[in-house]
Amino acid sequence: MSFFEITGRRRLSGRLAVQGAKNSVLPILAACILSPGECVIRNCPDLSDVTATLQILRGLGCKVRREADAVIVDASGVNGGEIPEHLMREMRSSVIFLGAILARLGQAQISYPGGCELGPRPIDLHLDALRRLGAQIWEEDGVLHCRTPGGLRGCRIHLPFPSVGATENTMLAACGSQQTTTIVGAAREPEIEDLQNFLNALGARVTGAGSDVITVQGSTRIGAAEHTVMADRIVAATYLSAVGAAGGELELTGVCPEHLSTVLDVMEEAGCVLHTEKDLICLRSNGRLNGVRPVRTAPYPGFPTDAQAVVMAALASGQGETVFEENIFRSRYRHVSELARMGADIRLTGRTAVVRGAPLRSAHVCSTDLRGGAALVIAALAAEGTSRVGELHHIDRGYDHLELKLSGLDAAIERKHA
Ligand code: EPZ
């Protein structure tokens, strides 16, 4: 089993280009299925979730190859609508393929995506929307069978919750209809705008992404396209939290400050000095962050749930008190017990976590999920002594060579194998 060995309380400094966004590249790779030709997706991060997605594409009959930071997907030979169970289990978000496969082939078969470390991950909003578009979907022995005997027909769909995945799935399926589909109550995350841009480059006619009403007009001109994936705003928040916690200065390039403005507001209130330009964020920290006003996670443009754990770790190593409220997922505090092993003072009551800053000490801890694992790395960078962070497969799902990037900022971090 591999682990990170981290020696804390070293000032970090340097300049870092932010990797491509995991939560943008996954639906964009799924969207390649709509194309009869070869698509080139640039700024594609090297992540295990991307590797799993490429395996799913190959299993559907696509030819896929990597060239430096680009992935080339030739979907001309898509011949099957089945995603094997082991790949569905490996990556919950593979449900995002459903809409694209139905749009391309009219039939699909996927196993129910397993729950995961964040609690139950229902897909009722996805299935309701696809049924509204004309899909017949039934479950047999944990396998979802989907058919569109009358094709996909455009309609008006109201999402009771701005689910990111359900919005993306509906956009992809709607590209398979010749009529117009309107999604009301759509999620507004920047990754959805990135998906819209790629779909329009393919020849689709999608408007409204970034607002809560998205319109997909029927199009008969879906072709091939090239696209550069936007920067990962959550990875950016992670590095900012790391330098905020350890102390030092950081220049992040390639990322849009607007996409994580709520995180920047918290870091500034905690005592960091920030400077931003179009695609640049500079942060300076004395390594002793203050408590801030309550941090309540919410759909975009609210505070991102994916940044909750990493910002919590940074504030837990500081001074002063902060109340967190996790309003998106039911159990997204599994990192708290591991942080407590490092001396963090965090009291949980339902969706609320009260964090009281304290000096952290080194410990051997285990990642519980993707962002929880990153939070433990941040805590170790702020802690006195040498820590170990295990279960790195969680972290490798969403961070492209995290230890190399942090070493580039002068962190003492090494990937070791027990
Ligand atoms: C996406 O997940 C992201 N993943 C998540 O990032 C992110 O935390 C989440 O959006 C919220 O921003 C990808 O984009 C691959 P949702 P998704 O549908 O689409 C409930 C990370 O760390 N819900 O917006 O699964 C659901 O249970 C990951 O990078 C239903 O009830 O999120 C949750 O409580 C973690 N029924 C809430 O909505 C449904 O059909 C938000 O889920 C769908 C969702």
Side-chain angles (χ1 to χ4, degrees):
M1 177 200 78
S2 56
F3 59 90
F4 285 150
E5 187 169 88
I6 301 167
T7 301
R9 293 315 302 161
R10 283 169 62 109
R11 278 179 68 78
L12 305 183
S13 72
R15 186 181 171 89
L16 201 55
V18 178
Q19 72 181 58
K22 168 179 83 77
N23 293 348
S24 179
V25 75
L26 297 183
I28 284 174
L29 288 171
C32 290
I33 292 172
L34 301 173
S35 169
E38 190 172 84
C39 293
V40 181
I41 311 301
R42 294 195 170 83
N43 198 28
C44 184
D46 181 7
L47 308 172
S48 57
D49 269 9
V50 169
T51 303
T53 299
L54 300 185
Q55 280 178 288
I56 290 174
L57 287 171
R58 289 191 183 97
L60 296 171
C62 298
K63 291 194 190 74
V64 179
R65 68 181 190 279
R66 261 195 179 278
E67 279 175 12
D69 82 333
V71 165
I72 295 98
V73 180
D74 176 352
S76 55
V78 168
N79 53 24
E82 189 170 347
I83 298 179
E85 178 168 359
H86 74 280
L87 287 176
M88 280 302 292
R89 290 208 166 281
E90 189 171 328
M91 190 181 64
R92 206 212 79 84
S93 53
S94 25
V95 66
I96 193 72
F97 275 89
L98 204 44
I101 297 171
L102 288 178
R104 176 72 186 265
L105 297 174
Q107 55 88 25
Q109 197 166 303
I110 68 167
S111 71
Y112 232 92
C116 76
E117 59 273 354
L118 307 181
R121 300 291 289 275
I123 57 170
D124 55 310
L125 301 181
H126 296 245
L127 303 185
D128 293 349
L130 296 176
R131 285 183 173 116
R132 288 266 303 129
L133 284 165
Q136 291 174 0
I137 303 175
W138 68 97
E139 185 199 334
E140 268 170 29
D141 308 327
V143 175
L144 284 176
H145 299 267
C146 313
R147 299 278 180 276
T148 57
L152 291 165
R153 54 173 190 275
C155 65
R156 185 181 179 80
I157 289 170
H158 177 78
L159 290 178
F161 177 84
S163 153
V164 172
T167 301
E168 293 164 343
N169 231 338
T170 308
M171 289 164 72
L172 292 171
C175 288
S177 158
Q178 291 314 308
Q179 297 93 28
T180 295
T181 296
T182 304
I183 307 168
V184 180
R188 299 168 54 188
E189 273 69 4
E191 292 76 19
I192 291 174
E193 264 185 278
D194 212 24
L195 176 62
Q196 171 179 282
N197 295 339
F198 177 61
L199 290 173
N200 289 337
L202 286 175
R205 293 186 292 166
V206 187
T207 52
S211 81
D212 59 357
V213 179
I214 294 175
T215 302
V216 181
Q217 296 178 56
S219 164
T220 54
R221 296 178 300 105
I222 299 287
E226 304 200 0
H227 183 81
T228 300
V229 175
M230 65 179 276
D232 194 313
R233 59 195 169 97
I234 305 303
V235 167
T238 305
Y239 289 120
L240 292 166
S241 299
V243 178
E249 51 281 328
L250 172 64
E251 274 191 26
L252 282 183
T253 60
V255 63
C256 170
E258 188 48 42
H259 288 165
L260 61 160
S261 60
T262 51
V263 174
L264 299 181
D265 291 347
V266 168
M267 299 308 283
E268 196 158 45
E269 187 183 342
C272 295
V273 178
L274 287 167
H275 167 73
T276 59
E277 293 174 19
K278 183 170 171 297
D279 284 325
L280 173 73
I281 300 173
C282 300
L283 174 141
R284 211 171 52 247
S285 166
N286 64 7
R288 297 291 295 167
L289 298 181
N290 305 313
V292 299
R293 279 166 297 179
V295 177
R296 297 186 177 89
T297 66
Y300 194 88
F303 188 94
T305 173
D306 295 346
Q308 177 253 106
V310 295
V311 170
M312 181 185 285
L315 296 177
S317 68
Q319 55 202 4
E321 183 173 295
T322 302
V323 174
F324 282 80
E325 210 173 273
E326 174 50 59
N327 298 309
I328 304 294
F329 288 102
R330 202 174 309 161
S331 86
R332 201 167 196 174
Y333 284 136
R334 295 180 64 215
H335 48 283
V336 168
S337 54
E338 292 299 296
L339 287 172
R341 292 161 54 82
M342 301 176 81
D345 177 354
I346 304 171
R347 278 170 291 117
L348 291 182
T349 316
R351 288 184 174 275
T352 301
V354 180
V355 177
R356 192 166 292 144
L360 301 183
R361 58 178 183 273
S362 59
H364 289 191
V365 290
C366 284
S367 305
T368 53
D369 56 83
L370 168 55
R371 308 303 174 183
L376 297 177
V377 171
I378 289 168
L381 290 168
E384 204 56 57
T386 299
S387 302
R388 283 188 176 186
V389 178
E391 301 299 320
L392 297 185
H393 62 279
H394 288 298
I395 296 176
D396 291 339
R397 283 189 44 221
Y399 291 90
D400 187 335
H401 297 95
L402 179 62
E403 73 277 20
L404 300 183
K405 306 283 178 64
L406 287 172
S407 304
L409 299 179
D410 203 24
I413 177 171
E414 214 179 323
R415 184 184 289 253
K416 293 196 165 183
H417 303 278

